[in-house]
Amino acid sequence: EVQLVESGGGLVQPGGSLRLSCAASGFTFSRYGMSWIRQTPGKGREWVSGITSGGITTAYIDSVKGRFTISRDNAKNTLYLQMNSLKPEDTAVYYCANHKSYFYSQTDFDTWGQGTQVTVSA
């Protein structure tokens, strides 16, 4: 059974930083692309970032480029999202998801985690 467990969210002031982690189990983590997705009641679901199975190729939505960094440690079966220079509009529940191939997708997800809340407020 595929399981994804996010952690690292919390309350932070604008301009601050957080690092999210996603612990994966139940599948061969190193063979699959991974993504981070966020969701709010107002904006709905939004794909944020993706990374290929080997961690070489990454992609981001324009609003987080230069501020967020996606990475993975395949030896630890863990996905990360380093978030710097946080803005109030980054407030959301953040989820990790695995894909069905080595690559990532903005829409085609296999399993989601339970999510971790990120709140950016002065």
Side-chain angles (χ1 to χ4, degrees):
E1 180 184 359
V2 174
Q3 290 186 311
L4 302 170
V5 181
E6 299 94 337
S7 62
L11 175 64
V12 64
Q13 293 186 331
S17 297
L18 287 172
R19 188 176 76 159
L20 306 184
S21 298
C22 171
S25 62
F27 67 106
T28 306
F29 180 75
S30 62
R31 294 181 182 175
Y32 295 93
M34 299 289 294
S35 286
W36 287 99
I37 304 98
R38 63 189 181 187
Q39 186 166 308
T40 63
K43 295 183 289 186
R45 186 178 64 189
E46 181 180 40
W47 178 88
V48 176
S49 182
I51 187 168
T52 53
S53 61
I56 302 301
T57 303
T58 60
Y60 306 86
I61 54 171
D62 287 342
S63 62
V64 308
K65 287 181 179 177
R67 301 189 297 118
F68 290 12
T69 302
I70 189 171
S71 63
R72 64 193 295 161
D73 187 338
N74 286 345
K76 297 181 178 180
N77 289 350
T78 303
L79 177 74
Y80 303 98
L81 185 67
Q82 178 66 48
M83 305 186 295
N84 299 326
S85 301
L86 282 162
K87 303 175 180 180
E89 52 262 44
D90 295 319
T91 296
V93 179
Y94 283 73
Y95 301 87
C96 65
N98 66 311
H99 298 287
K100 299 178 181 179
S101 75
Y102 78 97
F103 210 68
Y104 49 81
S105 171
Q106 296 184 19
T107 58
D108 190 12
F109 310 112
D110 186 13
T111 304
W112 296 57
Q114 86 290 343
T116 185
Q117 176 71 49
V118 172
T119 302
V120 185
S121 179

